[in-house]
Amino acid sequence: MIVKDGVSYFGFFDEMPYGVTTDLFDDFKKYVQVNTIDKNKVVQHIESLSFAATSAPTSDMFSGERLQAGIYEDEKFRFPVDFLHYYKKYDIGIPAEYEEYLLDKADFS
């Protein structure tokens, strides 16, 4: 995760077309073991967010599946639309800082 001007950026992995890398995909595998919020609730929350889409081409770095490119904004957090795809499809979690934010923001019990 990179923090710049009070905004935390996460989920920008090496193979993504965003011009910046914030994290290693394998590090997100470790978050699954410590995340406490039900994954379906996190997905539901992220899907409720609006995002800024882009026409830049992007695809799943493992399967090659074409994906929508763009950026989600959740108050002080920014992450790529692709991240939701990986979060739903692969066994990865969310950073502790984002989980803490979600726990403070809404009822995720």
Side-chain angles (χ1 to χ4, degrees):
M1 180 178 299
I2 294 174
V3 179
K4 184 176 179 182
D5 298 326
V7 177
S8 298
Y9 297 84
F10 70 87
F12 294 87
F13 306 125
D14 284 341
E15 301 299 319
M16 293 178 168
Y18 296 97
V20 64
T21 299
T22 61
D23 304 288
L24 299 174
F25 186 85
D26 285 345
D27 289 344
F28 281 67
K29 293 177 181 177
K30 300 171 191 169
Y31 295 143
V32 171
Q33 300 166 0
V34 295
N35 287 157
T36 60
I37 301 173
D38 180 86
K39 195 169 193 169
N40 291 322
K41 289 184 178 187
V42 175
V43 167
Q44 194 173 37
H45 172 74
I46 293 173
E47 287 177 338
S48 76
L49 300 172
S50 59
F51 63 89
T54 178
S55 60
T58 187
S59 58
D60 183 301
M61 65 181 122
F62 303 109
S63 70
E65 174 187 353
R66 299 277 298 159
L67 302 173
Q68 170 65 56
I71 304 293
Y72 279 111
E73 296 184 10
D74 194 357
E75 294 190 22
K76 65 178 187 168
F77 291 92
R78 304 287 182 276
F79 50 97
V81 173
D82 315 36
F83 178 78
L84 181 59
H85 163 81
Y86 293 110
Y87 185 68
K88 289 164 71 172
K89 187 170 183 174
Y90 299 100
D91 194 24
I92 64 170
I94 56 174
E97 298 87 346
Y98 189 57
E99 184 174 56
E100 289 171 20
Y101 159 78
L102 293 176
L103 287 168
D104 286 344
K105 179 181 171 80
D107 179 25
F108 280 94
S109 56

